[in-house]
Amino acid sequence: YKEGRVAGDLLYTGYCAACLLYCMVTAGEPLDVVFRESHKYLEFLKRTKDMDAAQTFIVEQRMVLNLQGMTATTASFGDDNFNEEEFVAHLNAIHMKIPLSLYRIVKMRSLWLFGHWREALEHADKAREVAEKSMGLPFSSDYDFYHALNILTHAHEMGSAERVKRLLQAKISIYKMNKWATNCPANFLQKQQILLAEQLRRAGKGPAALNAYEMAIAMARKNRFPQDEAIAC
């Protein structure tokens, strides 16, 4: 980011700023730090008129406000000064789809965290439509983790046909998480163990599920992912 500003390569400097925020959110940095940093980089992108990329910072700001209880409801990113529907329409209209993909994934996560699991599934379906636009970016793996977790924790509340469909989706995400945990346990092992614990819980294997949760808590603490530790707890 600093080198790009010195060299005058403003487009890729903006991309670097966006990736810094992606990593901060994925790594579980404190929300007030994410909010402060997002404002700093957003002002830079406004000055360079990189307004498509700037939308990612607005998404992250709304996510922070939602998680802090400062939006209209727990199911909304909007408030008196921010119309979420108009913002989403704008994200759909612009050429760059990374901000839309980010929005769908973080909204899905927030909805699940606040217990709005049905709405979270709807956002997961919409996130899948633009998933290829953010493939490989730090936040993209959150789709598989939270979507699978949402399905596993609420499968018992679904009808039989939907349950079969959703559990198949979860199986695909779990397969990817298992591969990632093998290749990079420092990033993914605690997430893989949380999903395993939920699978074991659904199978009625309480002691084994508890062991997987304990492993998830220990690995999340070791690898410094406080949001994953909180979920496991």
Side-chain angles (χ1 to χ4, degrees):
Y1 171 76
K2 292 176 182 177
E3 292 293 335
R5 293 191 64 173
V6 171
D9 188 348
L10 300 182
L11 179 64
Y12 277 85
T13 301
Y15 293 163
C16 287
C19 279
L20 283 169
L21 263 291
Y22 299 153
C23 289
M24 289 179 68
V25 172
T26 305
E29 292 289 335
L31 293 177
D32 57 342
V33 175
V34 172
F35 196 73
R36 183 183 68 238
E37 293 296 294
S38 70
H39 272 290
K40 180 177 73 175
Y41 294 121
L42 180 57
E43 288 304 312
F44 169 76
L45 290 176
K46 286 180 177 179
R47 291 198 303 272
T48 60
K49 297 181 171 55
D50 189 0
M51 294 312 298
D52 283 1
Q55 305 310 306
T56 63
F57 295 90
I58 297 174
V59 170
E60 285 157 338
Q61 289 175 1
R62 303 314 304 181
M63 174 203 71
V64 169
L65 293 172
N66 174 256
L67 292 175
Q68 291 180 330
M70 299 175 68
T71 53
T73 67
T74 56
S76 172
F77 277 13
D79 55 32
D80 292 340
N81 301 310
F82 185 86
N83 187 305
E84 185 174 7
E85 291 184 1
E86 291 180 359
F87 179 65
V88 175
H90 175 65
L91 294 184
N92 276 291
I94 62 177
H95 179 69
M96 180 188 284
K97 296 304 178 187
I98 292 175
L100 178 62
S101 180
L102 174 66
Y103 166 77
R104 293 297 181 194
I105 292 173
V106 300
K107 185 64 186 284
M108 173 190 68
R109 176 177 59 194
S110 291
L111 287 166
W112 177 77
L113 286 169
F114 283 117
H116 307 292
W117 67 273
R118 174 60 66 184
E119 294 92 333
L121 287 177
E122 294 172 3
H123 275 271
D125 292 339
K126 293 177 180 178
R128 194 179 304 110
E129 296 173 2
V130 290
E132 65 179 17
K133 305 301 181 181
S134 59
M135 190 178 298
L137 291 175
F139 66 84
S140 62
S141 64
D142 281 348
Y143 168 82
D144 289 287
F145 176 58
Y146 287 99
H147 185 41
L149 192 54
N150 186 25
I151 293 168
L152 292 174
T153 54
H154 293 285
H156 64 285
E157 299 178 60
M158 302 174 189
S160 57
E162 183 184 19
R163 187 183 307 119
V164 171
K165 171 189 171 183
R166 293 297 184 182
L167 286 173
L168 179 59
Q169 292 175 353
K171 184 177 181 180
I172 295 170
S173 290
I174 290 166
Y175 172 77
K176 290 194 282 185
M177 192 62 62
N178 288 341
K179 289 188 69 174
W180 294 334
T182 299
N183 291 322
C184 188
N187 279 346
F188 295 106
L189 184 57
Q190 71 280 351
K191 290 180 170 66
Q192 184 262 345
Q193 287 293 305
I194 290 172
L195 294 180
L196 174 61
E198 278 299 292
Q199 290 176 284
L200 292 167
R201 180 191 62 78
R202 290 194 69 253
K205 300 177 181 179
L210 184 58
N211 288 337
Y213 273 123
E214 294 288 359
M215 171 66 79
I217 292 167
M219 295 309 300
R221 190 170 297 164
K222 175 184 176 182
N223 294 325
R224 301 194 301 271
F225 284 97
Q227 75 278 33
D228 294 339
E229 182 181 350
I231 288 172
C233 288

